[in-house]
Amino acid sequence: MLAGKRILLIIGGGIAAYKSLEVIRLLRRQGASVRCILTEAGSRFVTPLSVAGLSGERVYEDLFSLTDEAEMGHIRLSREADLLVVAPATANLIARMAQGRADDLAATALLATDKPVLLAPAMNVRMWHHPATQENLARVIARGTRTVGPVEGSMACGEYGIGRLAEPPDIVEAVIAALTSGKPLAGRRALVTAGPTLEAIDPIRFISNRSSGKQGYAIASALAEAGAATTLVTGPTSIPAPAGVNTVRVEAAADMLAACNSALPADIAVFTAAVADWRVDSTSSEKIKKQDGAGPPQLHLVENPDILRTIATLPKGRPSLVIGFAAETQDVIAHARTKLARKACDWIVANDVAPATGVLGGDENTVHVVSAAGEETWPKLAKQEVARRLVERVARHFGRGQP
Ligand code: C5P
């Protein structure tokens, strides 16, 4: 599958570094050549000798090594690769990528490259959840970097959660997707909604919700990576616009619906936005004054359009695959089934958003994919991984062929 492909594998630090040896072996078995950069931290977990032995090439270790620079500059290292893979990608390496630092050979090669980059993050569960890591990751993903994993499991440090390196065969799958038939949705058009909507009360105040937009942005990125011409219609979020995605920023539900209509026709529509159910009937054009003794103003709310239902029931030009999300706090699957029918969509991705789950605004999700064909429950996954799997399922639905 990978005959003739040249991989530059950057091995970061961390106990999971030993799995990179298996990644090298599997990549070479697929016919790829693998050249490795071993970071300082990585070299504490695996030896240059074992990396060289398995890759069949010399190992590059230090930006400031005169021999390395003389024999193979960092620019050539990335130029002579078809794909850069970072496994394990540590929190530190992701942070340095986000900042565009060039303080060792690995970071410099990543900064100097214009080739696709695939990260396989691995770190302690709390480091993974730290907002700094998630923000850094969002920044590098927005620049077009792909990810595989991390997955849930027990860790070397004795804790349990998301943060384990994806298994080597899954990393190799992701490499194959990035390099070969990586565009199963080429020629398709996709529409994704994300984030909250913001319904104005007056020029200063508004009604909104806690949706972060993370899941929708991850889906838009994954669809674009799979080759779909993707429009993301998003309410206000703090996430950068994903690379290669036509991002349309809106505030109110009515504007979101108008932007969705403008993005049609589409083959695939995924509605992840947490659209406000109600808006204020008549928005005041001036700030509503607090008047002593007058009491609080009475807000009259009216229902917002149901964007998903509107588009799923279009008599003409309905996208052939319409996917809704259902955020529930109880009886998740039963409610999802009802919603599937009521909203006239093809699949519902249902998740439990009870506050204890931390899904809203969090970085991971346990979802159930409900369709007429039945239902599937996925393990707890990082939102990027949910996106990757969902897009794989979409690609299977379309038979991976050209439209
Ligand atoms: O009815 P409920 O809000 O639970 O439905 C959730 C699904 O419907 C999500 O896919 C959401 O994006 C979509 N939705 C919408 N417009 C609304 C309300 C929900 O597109 N006004």
Side-chain angles (χ1 to χ4, degrees):
M1 280 291 246
L2 293 172
K5 297 291 182 195
R6 299 162 308 171
I7 312 290
L8 180 61
L9 174 67
I10 297 173
I11 305 174
I15 193 78
Y18 77 93
K19 287 194 193 169
S20 62
L21 299 176
E22 177 68 356
V23 173
I24 298 172
R25 206 180 62 77
L26 294 176
L27 286 172
R28 291 195 68 198
R29 202 159 75 185
Q30 293 279 344
S33 63
V34 187
R35 187 173 269 164
C36 296
I37 294 179
L38 188 57
T39 63
E40 229 289 308
S43 67
R44 293 173 192 242
F45 295 91
V46 290
T47 68
L49 207 58
S50 36
V51 176
L54 280 163
S55 67
E57 300 215 20
R58 62 154 297 192
V59 179
Y60 297 84
E61 282 193 84
D62 182 0
L63 179 57
F64 301 108
S65 146
L66 285 177
T67 358
D68 278 4
E69 278 303 296
E71 284 178 10
M72 168 76 71
H74 53 275
I75 307 287
R76 258 183 75 200
L77 269 178
S78 64
R79 198 191 305 140
E80 293 182 359
D82 299 303
L83 175 73
L84 275 67
V85 180
V86 189
T90 58
N92 182 41
L93 195 47
I94 296 170
R96 289 190 287 133
M97 281 179 78
Q99 290 179 2
R101 296 178 75 124
D103 45 10
D104 68 358
L105 181 58
T108 308
L110 286 161
L111 191 63
T113 195
D114 55 1
K115 301 294 168 56
V117 177
L118 172 69
L119 299 185
M123 65 197 73
N124 165 273
V125 56
R126 275 170 291 113
M127 288 170 82
W128 169 254
H129 285 307
H130 196 287
T133 303
Q134 291 301 319
E135 281 163 31
N136 290 332
L137 198 68
R139 278 164 75 184
V140 301
I141 288 174
R143 295 177 199 144
T145 301
R146 292 167 170 253
T147 59
V148 51
V151 294
E152 189 180 31
S154 42
M155 309 191 165
C157 54
E159 294 191 62
Y160 186 90
I162 290 197
R164 270 170 69 106
L165 186 73
E167 290 305 320
D170 293 330
I171 296 176
V172 173
E173 268 296 300
V175 168
I176 293 170
L179 282 176
T180 55
S181 59
K183 306 282 176 209
L185 295 175
R188 308 272 176 200
R189 287 171 59 103
L191 162 68
V192 181
T193 68
T197 65
L198 184 154
E199 311 295 333
I201 296 172
D202 67 16
I204 313 295
R205 306 177 179 98
F206 57 83
I207 298 172
S208 192
N209 61 64
R210 293 184 195 278
S211 166
S212 65
K214 286 177 187 168
Q215 187 63 81
Y217 278 58
I219 291 169
S221 276
L223 285 165
E225 267 173 23
T230 306
T231 298
L232 169 67
V233 180
T234 172
T237 69
S238 56
I239 314 177
V245 170
N246 170 31
T247 303
V248 182
R249 295 192 185 272
V250 296
E251 291 199 341
D255 304 329
M256 186 172 271
L257 176 57
C260 286
N261 278 323
S262 306
L264 295 178
D267 305 285
I268 309 142
V270 189
F271 296 88
T272 61
V275 182
D277 290 314
W278 308 285
R279 67 177 183 279
V280 178
D281 192 8
S282 52
T283 304
S284 167
S285 57
E286 301 294 336
K287 182 182 174 198
I288 301 171
K289 286 283 183 211
K290 192 163 64 178
Q291 282 166 0
D292 279 348
Q298 299 297 310
L299 297 179
H300 183 242
L301 301 179
V302 290
E303 214 160 285
N304 262 332
D306 189 320
I307 301 170
L308 163 57
R309 194 167 187 286
T310 308
I311 294 198
T313 55
L314 279 177
K316 246 179 76 184
R318 179 195 191 272
S320 72
L321 181 63
V322 177
I323 305 173
F325 268 66
E328 304 289 349
T329 54
Q330 55 184 351
D331 298 333
V332 176
I333 293 178
H335 282 124
R337 283 234 159 269
T338 319
K339 204 160 284 183
L340 189 72
R342 184 161 46 84
K343 304 256 185 180
C345 49
D346 303 297
W347 304 349
I348 285 274
V349 180
N351 52 3
D352 187 343
V353 293
T357 64
V359 167
L360 275 190
D363 306 314
E364 60 197 35
N365 220 342
T366 307
V367 305
H368 315 269
V369 183
V370 180
S371 67
E375 68 219 21
E376 253 173 55
T377 297
W378 294 351
K380 188 189 270 187
L381 296 167
K383 286 182 177 173
Q384 293 88 354
E385 197 60 14
V386 170
R388 212 177 59 77
R389 290 190 188 203
L390 187 67
V391 170
E392 251 177 48
R393 204 178 194 272
V394 169
R396 278 203 305 279
H397 171 87
F398 283 106
R400 290 188 172 262
Q402 296 293 310

